[in-house]
Amino acid sequence: MGKMVDIDPDESAAARFAYELRRHRLAARLTQAQVGRRIGFSESMIGMVETLKRDPTEGFARLCDQAFRLDGVLLGLYMEAWPPPPPVPEHFRDWAAEELRATALRLWDPLLIPGLFQTEAYARWIIECAPGITTEEVDQRVSARMQRKRTLSRDDPPMVWAVIDEGVLCRPVGCPSVIREQLEYLVEMARHPKVTIQIVPYGAKAGAGLLGAFGIAEMRGVPYTVYVEGQPHGRTVDERSLIAKLVNRYDAIRGEAHSQSLSLKVIEEAVRRWI
């Protein structure tokens, strides 16, 4: 058995799962190796889940419930800590899941407000522009996009650093009232304790970012997955060399951005222009 690590169950839903897993294992007087043999996982896997070094799967939680003769207790805790992603299009499912499990997200968008910060009216106008899309599909995708925003209202939301091109604040998406509402909401999100929004000014040398939007997911300070926008749709990639290139590109873009406080003033000024 590895070295015992103290876990505060009130720190997060994930910490509660780890704490309860260990508590029930010790109450059953089982070692990590014994639990591993019962559920078909390695001793090291049990240890990493108990110390928050590895996220469990839904199947792992179900098997632990069976091993400890619990009536869905650990499964319930798992669903609180790692809720299923919203019903997004297939190509976006992997990234939607990463938004829920990442401890930090770094976003860049030269054309639109990032999805996590979009209002319903703004999102609907964008989604309706897709050729051949049905009214039912629009409603489903708008609903899914609004569900994604819950990422920032949960008990342990990720840190989010969003860098947005200044041109996004001037792009006429829908009528002026739609843009004004969207920018007012962006101001609100910029004041969220876990969110940093920075604006890249028109005159900045940020050509590296004009090729398209992308997002970087981090787990405890380590970038591990990226989402790259493209046509007809984007893709989620975990290739290390590509992640490294996008981290460097993100840092270069952010280096050209206004400070957080000045960016907030720029957004507030843009709100007043949309009347």
Side-chain angles (χ1 to χ4, degrees), residues 103-134:
T103 57
L105 297 167
R106 298 181 184 272
L107 311 174
W108 156 249
D109 204 313
L111 298 174
L112 297 169
I113 302 296
L116 283 179
F117 304 139
Q118 290 180 7
T119 62
E120 181 173 344
Y122 185 94
R124 183 174 293 278
W125 191 91
I126 294 168
I127 293 170
E128 284 177 339
C129 290
I133 194 168
T134 67

Side-chain angles (χ1 to χ4, degrees), residues 211-275:
L211 296 177
F214 60 86
I216 303 169
E218 295 184 4
M219 183 64 70
R220 301 180 184 89
V222 179
Y224 69 95
T225 303
V226 297
Y227 180 78
V228 184
E229 285 287 5
Q231 296 293 342
H233 51 67
R235 60 195 177 105
T236 302
V237 185
D238 58 7
E239 180 185 330
R240 290 187 179 182
S241 61
L242 179 58
I243 293 172
K245 290 178 181 177
L246 287 181
V247 168
N248 290 336
R249 184 159 294 197
Y250 178 87
D251 289 341
I253 297 167
R254 191 180 182 195
E256 295 291 330
H258 288 312
S259 67
Q260 183 178 10
S261 58
L262 181 54
S263 294
L264 179 57
K265 291 180 181 179
V266 171
I267 300 170
E268 290 173 333
E269 290 174 359
V271 170
R272 291 191 285 271
R273 291 198 295 268
W274 288 99
I275 56 176

Side-chain angles (χ1 to χ4, degrees), residues 22-63:
R22 174 185 289 170
R23 187 175 73 82
H24 285 292
R25 178 178 63 76
L26 294 177
R29 297 185 178 183
L30 296 172
T31 66
Q32 292 173 347
Q34 289 171 328
V35 172
R37 285 194 293 271
R38 288 192 180 193
I39 68 173
F41 284 85
S42 66
E43 176 183 2
S44 62
M45 175 64 177
I46 307 300
M48 286 190 289
V49 172
E50 288 189 358
T51 54
L52 292 174
K53 294 179 180 177
R54 183 80 175 267
D55 292 339
T57 62
E58 181 179 337
F60 180 96
R62 290 182 185 277
L63 289 169

Side-chain angles (χ1 to χ4, degrees), residues 5-35:
V5 176
D6 289 333
I7 298 293
D8 180 1
D10 295 323
E11 179 181 316
S12 66
R16 168 66 68 180
F17 182 94
Y19 178 88
E20 290 297 322
L21 173 62
R22 174 185 289 170
R23 187 175 73 82
H24 285 292
R25 178 178 63 76
L26 294 177
R29 297 185 178 183
L30 296 172
T31 66
Q32 292 173 347
Q34 289 171 328
V35 172

Side-chain angles (χ1 to χ4, degrees), residues 11-13 102-107 116-117 149-162 186-198 250 254 260:
E11 179 181 316
S12 66
T103 57
L105 297 167
R106 298 181 184 272
L107 311 174
L116 283 179
F117 304 139
K149 292 164 61 175
R150 296 176 186 173
T151 296
L152 292 170
S153 61
R154 67 186 197 222
D155 291 339
D156 57 336
M159 294 293 299
V160 180
W161 289 275
L186 193 62
V187 168
E188 179 184 337
M189 294 310 302
R191 295 186 173 124
H192 189 291
K194 288 291 191 75
V195 173
T196 297
I197 295 176
Q198 292 178 260
Y250 178 87
R254 191 180 182 195
Q260 183 178 10

